[in-house]
Amino acid sequence: MKLTGAQILMEVLKEEGVKTIFGFPGGAVIDIYDELAKTDIHHVLVRHEQGAVHAADGYARASGGVGVVLVTSGPGATNTVTGIASAYMDSIPIVVFTGQVPTQLIGNDAFQEVDIVGITRPCTKHNYLVKDTNDLARIVKEAFYIAQSGRPGPVLVDIPKNVAATRIDYKPPKKIQLKSYNPTYKPNMRQLSKAVSLIKDAKKPVIFAGGGVVLSKASKEITELAQKTKIPLTSSLMGLGAFPGTDPLWLGMIGMHGTYRANMSTGACDLLIGIGVRFDDRVTGKTDVFASQAKIIHIDIDPTSIQKNIPVTIPIVGDCKITLGQLNKLLDKEDLGNLNEKRKKWLEQIEEWKSTKPLAYVQKDIIKPQFVVEKLYELTKGKAIITTEVGQNQMWAAQYYHFDKPNHFITSGGLGVMGFGLPAAIGAQLACPKKLVVDIAGDGSIQMNIQEMATAAQCGLPVKVVILNNGYLGMVRQWQELFYKKRYSQTRIEFAPDFVKLAEAYGAVGLRATKPEEVEEVLKKGLSTPKAVIMDFVVEQEECVYPMVPAGAPITEMLLV
Amino acid sequence: MIEEKHVLSILVENQPGVLSRISGLFSGRGYNIDSLCVAETTEPNVSRITIVTTGSKQIIEQIIKQLHKLINVIKVIELTGTEFVQREMALIKVKAKPEHRAEVLRMVDIFRCKIVDVGLEHYTIEITGDEDKLSAILSLLKPLGIKEIAKTGIIALSREPKIV
Ligand SMILES: Cc1ncc(C[n+]2csc(CCOP(=O)(O)OP(=O)(O)O)c2C)c(N)n1
Ligand SMILES: [Mg+2]
């Protein structure tokens, strides 16, 4: 069969089951776009390539599959970098195709030439420059495989224009084989049985779940583990939803803005079981004293995550789902004793931390941002897919929306990209057309990719944007208030557009609440509108996110309300 | 923590960009490269990179794991702590005025190196050995005046019958 590179690309995309691509055309990919139009693949025309990558990220997370991006060379490619870096930090499987100038021009500073493989080398799991059409199919298949296997991550494939245009004799590639890439999925059973005996002996254990649990689809297994052993569970921001947020064993999030009880129990526990986590500094605070009373079991598929930040007692390399499945089986054979009796004091202690220092705010005459999130939780019965921007809005979403299921909380965790939430919501809505998708936003962040409202309008996507409008780059303002004597350098948003009118300009519906009693009404109206909606909540300007662990302090030393 | 020199032998797929992936890993994560040597093995699609790096035990463990994580890296062997041989070659252009020539030749003889180029005012010496030998001859030649020097960096192999 004689096919061009562009046609071969379409063949492999179909074979990989790709239904949606987020992208933006240009000269270097014009041949690919010409072929794309002949397929059934749904192409979502974004308004900025950064939006395409965040949308693919949101799509991947909401669907549990892979997100695909197609952009042109040069500026199209460089615009994807922030999105790729965010997906890399959060281990999200996406494949990004960039156009490139023809091979014979590479290195000549040709029009719209940029070394995107060089630029993205440190922020992709792997990347490729395709120099020969004969290699294209194999490389694309490898890209999809690498993105989704092991610890997932973004893979970039740079395709020169002539490689896409050249016609060759096409033979579908065989099953791919990568001799130097073999992720470890199955745990070492000796290590696992050592873990079992630690679990049996522990008096004050805590499970700490992370994004790896969501990625490996191990919610069932981790819930079984916690309930079987009656071990309370906390999670990182990325792990929210891995374990039901309404379960009595749930401690709330850990870390810089974690709950009092989650941080205190981590400080006091005698066994910490980290699962699919990487002990990021926002989680650990001062590492020397993190979980200093505890033996630590660490399960992760990526060996580099283990012993990187925190020394652990029992390292276990393996896929979370497989490893927890095995661990549960081993535990079933053990006599764990009377767990109600054994955990009584520990769970009572936690209950006391919870009741004396709960998450708290006071709602008076001005709308409190926490109140908006709480109302949103009530009205959606916790069933919405929530994306977030970055800053206080993100933390309040994490604290006050209780996630019972995985893949429902979509946030830029590791990189913390303002402007992530709206495009991610678009991606999530495309992956789950029947679900309610809400971006909890800040008035600063939303302006960083606001142009994607046009994408939502063009695709008829009923995404909802809830702006917690505090007139500030609130999280930075909070640091200035607490640690820089209220010197608000450049954090006041002195001018912002009228978000209601802006919504209307984008063909969406705009609503506003300025008083607490309007909150419910606006939410109800907004959520039930079958179109894109921006809801502008004018909230308390100088509210802070609490608890807060100052950067570098032990996580047990929290500033409270 | 104690920082120590470690010799790593890395087998990689011989593909464009592999070297920059590895050097980028070291620079991006703040690891040291004391020396780096790379060339094809007998399999044309596999190259061997020998890196000498300095770091604490924990850092070296991270470096090895991070190298493994690169898709094009086939194998990482830590030679330090095992039986291995290491060699480095240097070309040293040393000043050799007529009155010093005999002295230089004597040293060449003692250290069993070779003169590979002779000029009116200099000799170029080729020497192969381990680090100690190289630094010994350098310190002896220094007083005579070293004009230029080129070193290969260390290459090393395990003494085991065969590792790969
Ligand atoms: C692209 C980008 N630039 C800068 C920052 C630093 N930053 C973190 S939070 C924040 C403030 C965000 O303001 P807003 O969106 O209004 O959210 P709020 O904290 O007020 O809820 C800033 C500037 C960032 N995370 N991302
Ligand atoms: Mg704000």
Side-chain angles (χ1 to χ4, degrees):
Chain A
M1 202 172 20
K2 285 263 183 199
L3 293 182
T4 65
Q7 288 166 336
I8 290 168
L9 178 60
M10 294 308 130
E11 286 302 310
V12 184
L13 291 180
K14 276 187 251 169
E15 219 180 283
E16 291 293 326
V18 174
K19 297 195 175 60
T20 309
I21 289 184
F22 302 89
F24 204 83
V29 283
I30 201 160
D31 296 278
I32 298 175
Y33 269 88
D34 193 47
E35 286 305 322
L36 182 65
K38 300 174 194 162
T39 69
D40 297 333
I41 296 172
H42 179 199
H43 179 272
V44 178
L45 181 68
V46 295
R47 296 302 184 267
H48 187 299
E49 290 88 349
Q50 183 189 351
V53 188
H54 293 326
D57 184 319
Y59 182 91
R61 292 202 215 188
S63 66
V66 59
V68 182
V69 174
L70 172 60
V71 300
T72 193
S73 66
T78 50
N79 273 348
T80 64
V81 173
T82 303
I84 292 173
S86 179
Y88 183 64
M89 289 288 261
D90 292 343
S91 312
I92 306 305
I94 58 173
V95 178
V96 178
F97 295 100
T98 50
Q100 182 54 281
V101 302
T103 43
Q104 66 274 17
L105 290 184
I106 290 178
N108 285 4
D109 299 322
F111 178 62
Q112 295 194 328
E113 178 187 356
V114 72
D115 175 15
I116 196 63
V117 168
I119 289 172
T120 59
R121 211 170 268 139
C123 62
T124 49
K125 184 169 171 188
H126 197 54
N127 60 15
Y128 295 90
L129 168 64
V130 189
K131 286 191 176 153
D132 183 337
T133 311
N134 288 296
D135 296 332
L136 181 63
R138 171 186 58 82
I139 287 177
V140 175
K141 281 197 89 71
E142 283 181 11
F144 275 90
Y145 174 66
I146 291 171
Q148 293 170 276
S149 53
R151 176 177 176 177
V155 179
L156 180 137
V157 182
D158 199 21
I159 307 176
K161 186 167 168 146
N162 60 322
V163 169
T166 302
R167 195 176 290 277
I168 60 155
D169 223 350
Y170 174 65
K171 286 183 248 43
K174 292 181 281 282
K175 206 173 162 357
I176 40 155
Q177 251 188 336
L178 289 160
K179 79 168 161 187
S180 52
Y181 173 68
N182 289 302
T184 306
Y185 290 96
K186 288 199 192 121
N188 177 314
M189 293 309 280
R190 277 226 307 280
Q191 292 292 88
L192 212 54
S193 55
K194 283 190 212 157
V196 168
S197 59
L198 285 195
I199 292 172
K200 272 176 68 179
D201 293 346
K203 297 198 173 58
K204 299 188 285 181
V206 167
I207 298 174
F208 164 35
V213 179
V214 177
L215 289 163
S216 85
K217 306 184 170 78
S219 288
K220 198 176 124 253
E221 287 79 4
I222 203 168
T223 308
E224 186 187 328
L225 172 69
Q227 289 175 347
K228 183 199 306 281
T229 53
K230 285 211 165 19
I231 301 181
L233 189 147
T234 179
S235 89
S236 64
L237 184 72
M238 294 302 295
L240 290 176
F243 181 78
T246 48
D247 191 288
L249 288 168
W250 173 240
L251 295 169
M253 183 171 73
I254 194 177
M256 184 172 273
H257 295 293
T259 63
Y260 186 73
R261 65 186 190 283
N263 287 355
M264 293 306 283
S265 21
T266 305
C269 68
D270 62 355
L271 175 66
L272 186 71
I273 312 171
I275 307 171
V277 293
R278 58 187 176 91
F279 293 101
D280 163 85
D281 55 280
R282 287 297 188 260
V283 160
T284 60
K286 191 174 159 70
T287 47
D288 325 356
V289 291
F290 177 76
S292 55
Q293 314 293 310
K295 296 203 164 109
I296 300 180
I297 299 170
H298 188 183
I299 300 170
D300 200 85
I301 196 157
D302 180 0
T304 68
S305 292
I306 297 176
Q307 314 279 26
K308 180 172 65 179
N309 300 333
I310 296 283
V312 305
T313 324
I314 303 190
I316 301 176
V317 178
D319 169 68
C320 292
K321 190 179 179 73
I322 296 172
T323 307
L324 290 177
Q326 299 279 9
L327 183 60
N328 285 335
K329 263 197 215 148
L330 290 184
L331 284 165
D332 282 339
K333 293 188 203 141
E334 299 287 330
D335 176 14
L336 297 174
N338 184 342
L339 283 172
N340 286 330
E341 197 53 42
K342 212 163 141 189
R343 297 274 185 267
K344 192 159 173 274
K345 262 177 80 184
W346 178 228
L347 294 176
E348 271 171 14
Q349 166 71 71
I350 289 169
E351 193 50 43
E352 189 195 315
W353 283 323
K354 181 177 179 181
S355 53
T356 51
K357 306 260 169 41
L359 285 176
Y361 66 93
V362 188
Q363 177 60 67
K364 288 193 201 136
D365 345 325
I366 301 172
I367 303 174
K368 284 293 171 90
Q370 301 94 322
F371 177 68
V372 179
V373 179
E374 233 171 22
K375 273 280 164 239
L376 177 69
Y377 174 70
E378 270 172 47
L379 291 171
T380 56
K381 303 189 179 67
K383 291 198 161 47
I385 293 180
I386 302 292
T387 70
T388 77
E389 301 296 336
V390 169
Q392 296 181 312
N393 57 86
Q394 181 184 31
M395 292 302 124
W396 285 317
Q399 291 179 334
Y400 288 91
Y401 201 97
H402 310 293
F403 297 91
D404 274 337
K405 289 208 185 116
N407 308 95
H408 280 61
F409 182 59
I410 299 175
T411 196
S412 173
L415 198 67
V417 181
M418 291 172 68
F420 175 85
L422 176 57
I426 288 172
Q429 186 77 78
L430 278 153
C432 306
K434 297 214 172 83
K435 287 235 154 140
L436 182 63
V437 181
V438 183
D439 172 27
I440 297 182
D443 48 335
S445 303
I446 193 62
Q447 296 186 63
M448 280 213 178
N449 272 320
I450 190 73
Q451 76 286 346
E452 299 308 327
M453 285 303 292
T455 309
Q458 181 166 332
C459 298
L461 298 172
V463 292
K464 312 290 183 266
V465 181
V466 166
I467 301 178
L468 305 176
N469 188 343
N470 53 12
Y472 278 103
L473 300 171
M475 186 56 94
V476 184
R477 185 209 59 75
Q478 171 167 345
W479 283 52
Q480 291 171 335
E481 175 185 329
L482 297 174
F483 312 117
Y484 293 84
K485 303 205 170 111
K486 285 204 174 193
R487 292 189 299 270
Y488 290 166
S489 175
Q490 299 300 319
T491 43
R492 177 95 188 111
I493 301 176
E494 283 168 27
F495 175 83
D498 179 331
F499 289 113
V500 171
K501 283 193 190 148
L502 193 64
E504 286 159 7
Y506 277 118
V509 173
L511 301 168
R512 177 173 294 124
T514 53
K515 296 193 211 88
E517 55 274 23
E518 295 166 358
V519 169
E520 184 160 342
E521 195 191 315
V522 165
L523 279 172
K524 274 187 174 158
K525 192 160 171 217
L527 296 176
S528 60
T529 304
K531 279 181 83 166
V533 181
I534 294 181
M535 289 164 258
D536 182 22
F537 294 91
V538 182
V539 299
E540 180 81 54
Q541 294 206 321
E542 298 190 39
E543 186 72 10
C544 286
V545 180
Y546 290 116
M548 175 172 195
V549 180
I555 58 165
T556 46
E557 291 174 19
M558 289 160 268
L559 308 174
L560 297 159
V561 194
Chain B
M1 259 189 254
I2 324 157
E3 301 228 325
E4 277 181 358
K5 255 197 180 150
H6 286 252
V7 182
L8 304 179
S9 183
I10 309 159
L11 291 171
V12 300
E13 288 177 330
N14 198 359
Q15 281 181 11
V18 174
L19 194 56
S20 55
R21 282 182 208 282
I22 289 179
S23 60
L25 173 80
F26 275 77
S27 61
R29 292 185 182 268
Y31 306 144
N32 301 308
I33 298 183
D34 297 339
S35 76
L36 184 152
C37 260
V38 55
E40 260 181 25
T41 63
T42 47
E43 281 180 61
N45 51 349
V46 176
S47 290
R48 183 185 297 275
I49 300 179
T50 310
I51 290 188
V52 181
T53 179
T54 311
S56 66
K57 203 167 147 270
Q58 191 240 345
I59 293 287
I60 300 295
E61 187 187 322
Q62 260 300 309
I63 291 175
I64 293 171
K65 292 199 284 191
Q66 292 285 356
L67 284 166
H68 259 299
K69 196 168 151 179
L70 296 176
I71 307 283
N72 298 133
V73 169
I74 301 166
K75 188 157 186 168
V76 186
I77 305 143
E78 187 184 4
L79 290 171
T80 303
T82 70
E83 290 281 307
F84 71 104
V85 284
Q86 64 176 66
R87 287 292 179 272
E88 182 170 20
M89 189 173 96
L91 295 175
I92 307 164
K93 193 183 283 175
V94 63
K95 281 191 200 158
K97 299 223 174 90
E99 63 269 32
H100 288 139
R101 292 201 166 206
E103 166 87 10
V104 172
L105 289 175
R106 210 164 33 243
M107 267 190 266
V108 165
D109 204 34
I110 295 168
F111 282 91
R112 277 183 245 158
C113 25
K114 268 197 272 180
I115 307 268
V116 289
D117 184 39
V118 184
L120 285 176
E121 300 257 301
H122 76 266
Y123 281 137
T124 300
I125 302 169
E126 173 201 309
I127 176 162
T128 307
D130 58 14
E131 269 190 299
D132 290 346
K133 182 174 172 186
L134 259 67
S135 60
I137 192 166
L138 279 174
S139 64
L140 289 171
L141 289 175
K142 213 167 174 189
L144 303 177
I146 293 171
K147 294 172 85 160
E148 263 186 309
I149 178 163
K151 293 207 271 178
T152 58
I154 285 170
I155 53 168
L157 276 183
S158 162
R159 282 187 191 274
E160 302 284 316
K162 185 163 167 111
I163 278 204
V164 187

